[in-house]
Amino acid sequence: MQKVLFILNYGQNLGLGHLSRCSIIAKCYRENGISTHLLTKSCSSPEDEKLNAFNFLHFYNEDHIIKEFLDLYKNHLFSTIVIDDYFIDYKKIISNVESHTKVLRFDLEPNLQDKSSITINYNPCYKNNDINHLVGPDYILIDNKFKNLKRKCTNDQVFVFFGGGDDYSAIDKFSDYLNFLSSRHSRVNIAITKLYKNKETIIEKYKSNSSFNVLIDSENYPEILNNCMFALTSGGTITYESAFLEIPMQIVSVADNQVKQSQAWDEHNNAKYVGSVQSVDSMILKNSYKHFFSDQNQINKWFKHKSIMVDGYGAERIMNHTTD
């Protein structure tokens, strides 16, 4: 049986993006009879349901990662290694694997001339025309729970999500804008996760207001997003899910690595990028709303020109590239 090893980290400071996207690829491998292993830090929480995508979990001590990786590699002779950790010295890993093992790695700034490994970057600013690397929207990863959903004919609800690990105080900072939205829409759905340090404060603030619906790791997340008029989001994984569901986005980036893709979504008319969480305030968001999101006709004017369509087969394309 072929075996695939994923090397990544996740948690409150890093968020769940790395784990989320690798779990989608891992599910695809498992469905095709390939054994999946995860190597992550010993301090990582073993409770997240996304870990179910992996047949085996292995934990390493940060000071001994290369040694622990080598021990694992010798015992299992993986056919493919997927690295999704920007802080790991991937060159040391590559130098210690045999030629029959394919190495894939997520890279924020892909060097397309580097043939030592296969780069994955599905940022919409890249084009799908490189034979050595997996870059561009064709490789966007969509979890199966977002597929085959039916959309209601009309819905004026709004979806709000600023990331899985932390909201960077965005919900509190934009409270005036959220109240503004609640006065114009039937409901404002605020999605958060159990990793949020301020989750209790958010719940307490909005629980008594029927115009708001606070979702904590909700299983209904995809369905609710699918039936919203538009989404106020960070520039992370939520943008790919919204693009797949064809939900217009008002984006506020919460990390530097989100800026480039947020701008790309804007350039392709899949979203309106307002700016970073440090530079944006409620007034700026209201002005953006009045220009682009105040009614369905206004949204349609720009959103009908969107030029990136996400088909949801990114994981299959990645798997096929390593099993051909």
Side-chain angles (χ1 to χ4, degrees), residues 90-91 105-121 126 130 132-133 135:
Y90 70 90
K91 293 181 181 178
R105 61 183 183 87
F106 286 86
D107 195 334
L108 289 173
E109 299 291 340
N111 176 8
L112 302 183
Q113 306 306 312
D114 182 359
K115 306 298 193 298
S116 64
S117 59
I118 302 167
T119 295
I120 305 173
N121 188 315
Y126 296 110
D130 190 282
N132 298 302
H133 299 282
V135 299

Side-chain angles (χ1 to χ4, degrees), residues 26-40:
K27 286 178 186 176
C28 189
Y29 277 118
R30 284 188 65 173
E31 290 168 358
N32 287 272
I34 298 171
S35 180
T36 57
H37 295 243
L38 171 64
L39 179 61
T40 189

Side-chain angles (χ1 to χ4, degrees), residues 124-143:
C125 73
Y126 296 110
K127 298 185 183 298
N128 312 308
N129 58 1
D130 190 282
I131 61 172
N132 298 302
H133 299 282
L134 310 179
V135 299
D138 279 352
Y139 301 98
I140 287 174
L141 299 164
I142 301 297
D143 193 283

Side-chain angles (χ1 to χ4, degrees), residues 42 92 149 154 158 174 180 183 196 201 205 208 216 224 242 245 269 288:
S42 55
K92 284 187 178 180
L149 298 177
T154 57
V158 179
F174 303 142
F180 171 84
S183 70
Y196 279 34
T201 302
K205 183 171 184 175
S208 60
I216 310 171
I224 294 172
S242 298
L245 296 174
N269 286 299
S288 168

Side-chain angles (χ1 to χ4, degrees), residues 219-243:
E219 293 182 359
N220 296 325
Y221 171 124
E223 184 177 353
I224 294 172
L225 173 61
N226 187 50
N227 285 298
C228 282
M229 184 174 172
F230 73 94
L232 168 63
T233 75
S234 64
T237 302
I238 178 66
T239 63
Y240 299 101
E241 296 162 348
S242 298

Side-chain angles (χ1 to χ4, degrees), residues 140 142 146-153 155 157 159 222-231 233 237-250 265 268-271 293 296 299-300 302-312:
I140 287 174
I142 301 297
F146 287 91
K147 300 177 182 179
N148 303 314
L149 298 177
K150 293 183 179 179
R151 185 177 299 176
K152 296 177 183 178
C153 294
N155 201 322
Q157 295 189 26
F159 195 88
E223 184 177 353
I224 294 172
L225 173 61
N226 187 50
N227 285 298
C228 282
M229 184 174 172
F230 73 94
T233 75
T237 302
I238 178 66
T239 63
Y240 299 101
E241 296 162 348
S242 298
F244 173 72
L245 296 174
E246 298 190 47
I247 301 298
M249 295 173 276
Q250 186 181 38
W265 288 125
H268 290 278
N269 286 299
N270 290 75
F293 296 94
Q296 192 62 56
I299 290 173
N300 292 342
W302 61 269
F303 193 61
K304 68 180 179 181
H305 298 294
K306 61 184 177 299
S307 55
I308 297 178
M309 305 299 171
V310 180
D311 64 10

Side-chain angles (χ1 to χ4, degrees), residues 59-82:
F59 298 93
Y60 69 84
N61 182 296
E62 192 166 3
D63 295 331
H64 305 99
I65 177 174
I66 299 301
K67 179 184 181 303
E68 294 179 38
F69 160 73
L70 287 174
D71 290 342
L72 196 60
Y73 182 67
K74 290 174 182 176
N75 288 332
H76 294 281
L77 295 177
F78 299 104
S79 60
T80 302
I81 297 171
V82 181

